[in-house]
Amino acid sequence: MKDEYLRRVRRLQEKLNEQSLQGVMITQNVDLYYFTGSMQTGYCFIPAEGEPVFYVRRSVVRAQQESAVRTEPLGSFRAFGAALAQAYPQLAQEPGRPAVRLAAEFDVLPVQQLQRLQTVPPHVEWKDGSVLIRETRMIKSPSELTSIREAARVIDAAFEDALTFLQPGVTELELISRIEHYIRRQGHLGIMRMRGYNQETLTGMVGAGEAAATPTYFDGPAGGLGLSPAAPQSASRRPIAADEPILVDIGRCIDGYVIDQTRTVVMGTPPDDLKRAYDTAGHILRSTEAWLKPGTVCEQLYLQSLQLAEEAGLSGHFMGFGGDQVKFLGHGIGLEIDESPVLARGFRYPLEPGMVIAVEPKFTFPGRGVVGIEDSYAITDSGFEKLTVSRGGLIVL
């Protein structure tokens, strides 16, 4: 496993050299785990050339047990600059030498922390390295795919178990609690991480009828009432009724890696127009699958989905409603729910083997419900591997 972490470091170093950067300071928990194998508090400096060092504040002992890279105590932050200069003489500013250019994760690094780093050492020109890090993490290794497959296997079993429990009068909260209890006993870490600022997710979004269509701050096509304004998303205490769509958008996290899937369930008979919308979501998903192969540009998949929704007369309901529509069809998954690439306008990444993408065409009807489907895929040399294994189609009980 140590070799895999070092391969990740080398891939990032190649990107640093392409951008004429002398190194990158890794500070965020998930990025620390990705490059070192440990999530202890500290800073991992990865030079463009040479060996990385993980400077740990707490817990040094545990980091030394877990980390695949050299690990040292951070000590006093005031002495951090001297320790870096001693370990990496190339960071010293000398007459006639170009300014030292280092990167950091500007997308997640608090301003206060950046200001502290700007004193260590003070002559460094700091650049945004978040895209380089996200691009490195975008390509999954065989071991990462193994974790995601295992997460998919267990979420499928939890979903089938939940269906046996579902009946009119069961509340949204009781339904998601059944799912959470099942997957927690099967090793779910109890957290689904997101990178976006102020974005949070629970086990997922379980909602029925008009509750599922209630908009919220979460950057997705379905919101949910939630339990209070303190957590205004996903399940509420609302009882689930017959003949209304139930959106079960759930995931599981194993060894840090997540799966993301959505199924639509109805106890009874779905309304005809919502059934038609669900069929359109399935058509968009199958049309997307036809282009899930190396070389396809991410933006193309989103633009195609917009066209299909418009042809069906449902563009006003696609991926939300009105001002609450979201502007994507899918997103990368891995250690976080919102990884690159994104299937959205302006994302011109060509698909590559090793990318893992969740595709989630959904239609929102205010006051009535949300219908749709979501599957996760790994891009392969010749096409894709479907990672989600739960049965598809509108599930009528």
Side-chain angles (χ1 to χ4, degrees), residues 75-236:
S76 166
F77 198 82
R78 291 188 297 272
F80 188 24
L84 278 175
Q86 182 177 4
Y88 302 101
Q90 66 268 36
L91 299 186
Q93 189 175 36
E94 297 178 1
R97 177 185 288 184
V100 176
R101 301 173 75 245
L102 300 182
E105 310 131 303
F106 282 12
D107 61 335
V108 291
L109 183 64
V111 172
Q112 185 180 63
Q113 286 295 100
L114 175 61
Q115 290 174 338
R116 293 190 75 193
L117 287 174
Q118 287 171 334
T119 68
V120 186
H123 58 269
V124 165
E125 181 182 354
W126 288 94
K127 298 292 183 180
D128 185 5
S130 57
V131 172
L132 303 183
I133 292 168
R134 288 170 70 93
E135 287 178 344
T136 302
R137 286 178 45 190
M138 192 163 60
I139 307 301
K140 271 59 179 183
S141 68
S143 67
E144 290 178 287
L145 290 173
T146 295
S147 293
I148 297 172
R149 289 189 195 101
E150 174 61 12
R153 182 191 67 80
V154 173
I155 208 65
D156 173 53
F159 176 66
E160 291 295 335
D161 174 75
L163 293 181
T164 67
F165 171 73
L166 189 56
Q167 59 182 323
V170 167
T171 67
E172 296 171 344
L173 180 60
E174 289 170 333
L175 179 57
I176 200 169
S177 296
R178 175 87 176 204
I179 294 168
E180 289 173 336
H181 181 253
Y182 189 103
I183 62 176
R184 195 74 164 112
R185 293 178 64 187
Q186 296 295 320
H188 171 54
L189 298 189
I191 187 170
M192 302 279 285
R193 294 188 171 95
M194 293 193 70
R195 195 176 189 91
Y197 178 65
N198 271 351
Q199 287 295 298
E200 301 170 311
T201 189
L202 309 175
T203 305
M205 193 310 228
V206 170
E210 81 283 349
T214 303
T216 188
Y217 74 97
F218 181 74
D219 192 18
L225 282 174
L227 295 177
S228 83
Q233 59 169 293
S234 191
S236 70

Side-chain angles (χ1 to χ4, degrees), residues 1 3-5 7-8 11 34 136-151 254-255 257 334 353-356 378-381 385 387:
M1 191 63 186
D3 289 343
E4 176 161 339
Y5 292 108
R7 282 194 295 270
R8 296 172 184 178
R11 291 209 317 271
Y34 180 80
T136 302
R137 286 178 45 190
M138 192 163 60
I139 307 301
K140 271 59 179 183
S141 68
S143 67
E144 290 178 287
L145 290 173
T146 295
S147 293
I148 297 172
R149 289 189 195 101
E150 174 61 12
I254 182 168
D255 296 330
Y257 288 88
M355 289 180 174
V356 177
I379 304 303
T380 65
D381 291 335
E385 174 193 351
L387 297 172

Side-chain angles (χ1 to χ4, degrees), residues 267-289:
M267 296 181 290
T269 304
D272 289 342
D273 58 337
L274 269 61
K275 170 66 165 58
R276 178 175 169 272
Y278 179 87
D279 291 342
T280 302
H283 175 55
I284 292 172
L285 187 68
R286 291 189 296 274
S287 298
T288 301
E289 286 179 343

Side-chain angles (χ1 to χ4, degrees), residues 148 158 166 226 237 247 288 347 394:
I148 297 172
L166 189 56
R237 292 183 174 86
L247 198 74
T288 301
F347 282 81
L394 182 63

Side-chain angles (χ1 to χ4, degrees), residues 266-315:
V266 178
M267 296 181 290
T269 304
D272 289 342
D273 58 337
L274 269 61
K275 170 66 165 58
R276 178 175 169 272
Y278 179 87
D279 291 342
T280 302
H283 175 55
I284 292 172
L285 187 68
R286 291 189 296 274
S287 298
T288 301
E289 286 179 343
W291 288 97
L292 287 181
K293 55 188 175 182
T296 298
V297 176
C298 291
E299 179 184 55
Q300 172 190 335
L301 297 173
Y302 175 61
L303 297 178
Q304 173 183 276
S305 72
L306 292 179
Q307 180 180 345
L308 293 173
E310 183 175 1
E311 290 173 356
L314 290 167
S315 58

